[in-house]
Amino acid sequence: MLQPAPAVPGMPEDEIDTPALILDLDAFEHNLAAMRDLLAPFPKVKLRAHTKTHKSAVVAHLQGRHGAIGQCTQKVGEAEALAWGGVSDILVSNEVVGRSKLARLASLARIAEVGLCADDIAHITAAEAVAEAAGIRLKMLVEIEVGSQRCGVSPGEPAVELAKRIAASRHLRFGGLQAYHGRAQHISRWADRKVAIAGTAEVTRRTVDQLRQHGLDCQIVGGAGSGSFLLEAGSGTFTEVQAGSYVFMDSDYGAIEGPDGAKALPFRQSLFVLATVISAARPGIAVLDAGHKAVPLGWGLPRVVGMPDVKVTSHSDEHGNLAIEGSTRRPAVGEKLRLLPPHCDPTVDRYDWYVGVRGGRVECVWPIAARGAMH
Amino acid sequence: MLQPAPAVPGMPEDEIDTPALILDLDAFEHNLAAMRDLLAPFPKVKLRAHTKTHKSAVVAHLQGRHGAIGQCTQKVGEAEALAWGGVSDILVSNEVVGRSKLARLASLARIAEVGLCADDIAHITAAEAVAEAAGIRLKMLVEIEVGSQRCGVSPGEPAVELAKRIAASRHLRFGGLQAYHGRAQHISRWADRKVAIAGTAEVTRRTVDQLRQHGLDCQIVGGAGSGSFLLEAGSGTFTEVQAGSYVFMDSDYGAIEGPDGAKALPFRQSLFVLATVISAARPGIAVLDAGHKAVPLGWGLPRVVGMPDVKVTSHSDEHGNLAIEGSTRRPAVGEKLRLLPPHCDPTVDRYDWYVGVRGGRVECVWPIAARGAMH
C-alpha cells in the first residue's frame, strides 16, 4: 500500500512525521548545477542520469532541466514510472529477462525512446520475438565487461558478434555499448580510479573501433557512475555518463577523493532520514524510531547530523540506539534528529515520498513513484 | 506506488515474475499449527503474534484461526492495516511519539481494541491529551527493560510509578507490562537462552507482584519472540507471547538450537525470494535479478535452495552474483532459483505481495498491506 505523505508544504521541519526521507533542496539544486557545470567542458558527452538512485520522474525532469538528455534504469518498472511521468528517453542499462518484462518495455516504446542491454544471444532472440509481436523496433545495446565482474560479454570479438546479430534483426536496432565499471566507483584514491577507468576506456575504444570496421556505429557508448564520470567523460570514447548518486550523495561517496587533489567529490549531501527519539529511559542511551527498515544495513550505521559525539550503536528492525554517554546534548523524547544514510540508493527505495526542505520549512512533497519497482 | 502482483493463481512457479516473495503454503500452515500445538500445554498463555514480521491482515487472521488472540505491532501504520483489515485486538508493543501518530491510534480505538506502551511520563501525558481530545480511553502498558538495552523503564519501583500515573488518568487504562528480551531471541544455545529468560521472568514477576500490592492488576504481561516463547510461556508470569518470525523462519532463526536438545526450532522455512538468472556471460559466474534491494543486507548473503555448491558471493543494488565454478548444475539465463533470506522481517517489508505456492503452482496472491508502514 502507498504510505501517506509525512508532511505538508509550509510545515516546519520538526513537525514532519518520522521516519521521513528529507531532501535538502539547497544542496540538491547545488548538485544538479554542479553536474551540469562539470560536464560543460565535454560537449560531446551527455548525462543520462540513473533512476535507480532517485526512483522519481520529478527528479528526472529536474535533471533534464540541468542538461541530462535522459535517464537510465535497472528495471522495467523504473522505466514505466519514468515514461508514465513524461520522461522521453530511457535506457534500461541492464539485461531484461522474462517475456512479460520485455512486453512491458516494448509497450513503452510507443510513448518514449527506450532501449535495453544484452550480453547473450538469448537476450537478443527474446527481445526480437517480443518486438516483432508488438510491431515495434527495440533499441538494444551490447553490455561489455569492463571490470565489474558481473554482467557483460567480453569486449572485442564476442561483443561484435552480438552487435552484428542485433543489427541483422528487422525488429531490433543496434544502439551501441554499455560499459559500466561499478567496482571503480568507490575506489577511494582518485589516481587509482583513474588507472581503473583508463583500462575500461581502452577496451571500450577498441571495441567501438572493431564495430566500426563492421559498419556498426555506436549511437551510445555509456557507463560511469558518480565516482568516475569525469574520467569517462574525458576519455574521448564515452558519449554518455550514467551517474546517479551525485544528486543525493551519501557517506560512502562522501568519503572518496575528488578529482586530482580535491578532498571530496564536488557534491553536497542532500539526502537525510529524519527520526524521532522515542525513548530515553536507559542511562546513556536514546532510542530512535528508525531502525534498519528506515536506513538499510550493509554500509555501516548512519551518523547523526550535527552531533559528532553521539553514535548510532545498533539498529534493530524498528529501533536505532544512540550512545549519548559522552555527549553534551542529551536528546529528549520527542526530539527530531537528521541521520546521514551510508548508501542513498537502498535508503530511497524504502520511502514513498521525498520531503523537500529549505530554511527549516517543508517546500515540497514528491512521490517516489518507482519505490519498490524491482520487476 | 503499489507494485503490480507478480503472479496469478494457477500459474506454475517458474512463470512468476521476479524478484518475488514466495510463501511455501505447506510449510506456512505447518508453522501455524505447530505454534498452536506448542502453546497448548499453557492454557493461560495466549499468542499475540507480531505483525512486524508479516505486515498483513491476511496472515493475522490465519494466525487467529490457529489460536492467536490478537496481534502486536511496532508502528501505528501497521495497526491501521490490521484494524482496517478486520483484526480486532491490537497492541502497539512500542512507544508512540508524536501527536498525529497518537491521534491515528486513538481513532482506531473506535473499531478495535488497541493499546500502546510507555516508559516515560512524557508518553503518558501525550497519550492522555490525545485520548481526552478523541473522547476515548486508551489502554497503556508500561514497558520494562529486561535485557534488550533499548526501550523500557527499570523494573520494580520506576515501573510502578508509571503504572500508577496511567491508572490515575480518566483517559487511560493501565493494561499491564511489556517485557521483551530481544537480545535473547538469537542466543544460539537453548540452555543459555533459558538462563537469559529466567532472569527476564524473575524481574517481571517481581514487578507484577509490586503492582498488585498497589492494587494494579496486569491484564497483559507480554513479551517473547520466536526464539524464546516457550520459556516465557512456562514461566508462570507471562500471559501473552509475541512471536512473529515463526510463521516464516529464516536462516538466522533456523540456525539456533530448539528446546532442550532439539537441533532446531520446530518450524519450517516458508519464506523465499524467487529470482531469475539474467546473465551468464562471465566464466564461473551467474547473475541474478535480485540484489540487496530484493534481499536486504545485514545478516549475511542468502543461500540458494537446493544448490549447496552454488554460493551468492556479492549483492549490489539490483544484482546478485553466484559463484558456479564448482557446481555440477550451471544455472542458465532465464532459470529461476529460490533464495533463502537470512532475516525475514526486512525482506517481507520490501514487497507488496506474497505469492503463495503449493506443489509448484501459485495458489494465492496476498497483499502486504503494511509494507513500508514506518509511521
Side-chain angles (χ1 to χ4, degrees), chain B residues 220-267:
Chain B
I220 297 173
V221 180
S226 294
S228 75
F229 68 96
L230 284 173
L231 297 165
E232 279 92 342
S235 69
T237 298
F238 282 79
T239 68
E240 293 187 357
V241 292
Q242 300 171 342
S245 301
Y246 80 96
V247 279
F248 298 145
M249 294 299 284
D250 52 36
S251 45
D252 239 37
Y253 265 118
I256 70 172
E257 224 177 57
D260 289 326
K263 275 187 200 144
L265 295 173
F267 304 109

Side-chain angles (χ1 to χ4, degrees), chain A residues 1-6 17-20 52-53 55 74-75 77-78 80-81 84 94-97 100-101 104 119-120 122-123 145 148-155 183 276-282 285 287 289-290 292-294 297-299 314 316-319 321 333-334 343 345-346 349-352 368-375, chain B residues 1-6 17-20 52-53 55 74-75 77-78 80-81 84 94-97 100-101 104 119-120 122-123 145 148-155 183 276-282 285 287 289-290 292-294 297-299 314 316-319 321 333-334 343 345-346 349-352 368-375:
Chain A
M1 205 168 68
L2 180 72
Q3 293 301 310
D17 206 4
T18 63
K52 83 181 177 69
T53 300
K55 298 261 183 179
Q74 298 292 69
K75 300 286 183 173
E78 294 170 339
E80 287 174 331
W84 297 341
N94 197 2
E95 286 65 31
V96 176
V97 174
S100 70
K101 287 187 176 77
R104 284 159 52 214
D119 72 6
D120 193 299
H123 300 130
E145 160 30 52
S148 280
Q149 293 170 48
R150 199 167 69 184
C151 302
V153 72
S154 296
R183 295 184 180 211
T276 301
V277 176
I278 61 163
S279 173
R282 313 304 315 148
I285 293 172
V287 184
D289 63 353
H292 58 69
K293 286 183 185 169
L297 292 175
W299 304 266
S314 70
S316 50
D317 284 324
E318 318 280 358
H319 299 86
N321 271 22
V333 169
H343 185 17
D345 296 30
D349 204 35
R350 301 292 309 131
Y351 294 84
D352 290 295
I368 305 176
R371 189 287 317 156
M374 291 191 282
H375 292 165
Chain B
M1 206 167 69
L2 180 73
Q3 293 301 310
D17 205 3
T18 64
K52 83 180 177 73
T53 300
K55 298 261 181 179
Q74 298 293 71
K75 300 285 184 173
E78 294 169 341
E80 286 174 331
W84 297 341
N94 197 3
E95 286 66 30
V96 176
V97 174
S100 69
K101 287 187 176 77
R104 285 159 51 213
D119 72 5
D120 192 299
H123 300 129
E145 155 40 46
S148 280
Q149 292 168 50
R150 199 168 67 182
C151 301
V153 71
S154 296
R183 295 184 180 211
T276 301
V277 176
I278 60 163
S279 173
R282 314 303 316 150
I285 293 173
V287 184
D289 62 354
H292 59 70
K293 286 182 185 169
L297 293 175
W299 304 267
S314 70
S316 49
D317 284 324
E318 318 280 359
H319 297 87
N321 270 23
V333 169
H343 185 17
D345 296 30
D349 204 35
R350 301 292 309 132
Y351 294 85
D352 290 294
I368 305 177
R371 187 286 317 155
M374 291 191 280
H375 291 166

Side-chain angles (χ1 to χ4, degrees), chain B residues 8-9 11 18 30 39 50 76 80 92 100 109 125 128 130 140 156 194 210 216 222 237 262 277 305 319 338 359:
Chain B
V8 171
M11 195 180 253
T18 64
H30 164 86
L39 287 177
H50 217 310
V76 174
E80 286 174 331
V92 182
S100 69
T125 52
E128 187 173 43
V130 167
M140 198 161 217
K194 205 165 177 171
Q210 281 177 268
L216 294 170
T237 298
V277 176
V305 174
H319 297 87
R338 277 191 184 192

Side-chain angles (χ1 to χ4, degrees), chain B residues 316-337:
Chain B
S316 49
D317 284 324
E318 318 280 359
H319 297 87
N321 270 23
L322 298 177
I324 57 171
E325 200 81 280
S327 174
T328 45
R329 273 186 58 207
R330 306 236 157 171
V333 169
E335 188 168 342
K336 290 185 179 168
L337 304 175

Side-chain angles (χ1 to χ4, degrees), chain B residues 109-144:
Chain B
R110 306 230 174 245
I111 58 169
E113 167 87 7
V114 300
L116 76 169
C117 296
D119 72 5
D120 192 299
I121 186 75
H123 300 129
I124 300 172
T125 52
E128 187 173 43
V130 167
E132 180 174 13
I136 54 129
R137 199 155 187 158
L138 210 43
K139 178 166 69 181
M140 198 161 217
L141 279 68
V142 172
E143 178 165 13
I144 57 174

Side-chain angles (χ1 to χ4, degrees), chain B residues 191-205:
Chain B
D192 296 338
R193 248 174 295 153
K194 205 165 177 171
V195 170
I197 299 300
T200 292
E202 176 56 19
V203 295
T204 305
R205 186 190 58 71

Side-chain angles (χ1 to χ4, degrees), chain A residues 326-351:
Chain A
S327 174
T328 43
R329 274 186 58 206
R330 305 236 157 170
V333 169
E335 189 169 343
K336 291 184 178 167
L337 304 175
R338 276 190 184 190
L339 302 177
L340 201 150
H343 185 17
C344 50
D345 296 30
T347 305
V348 168
D349 204 35
R350 301 292 309 131
Y351 294 84

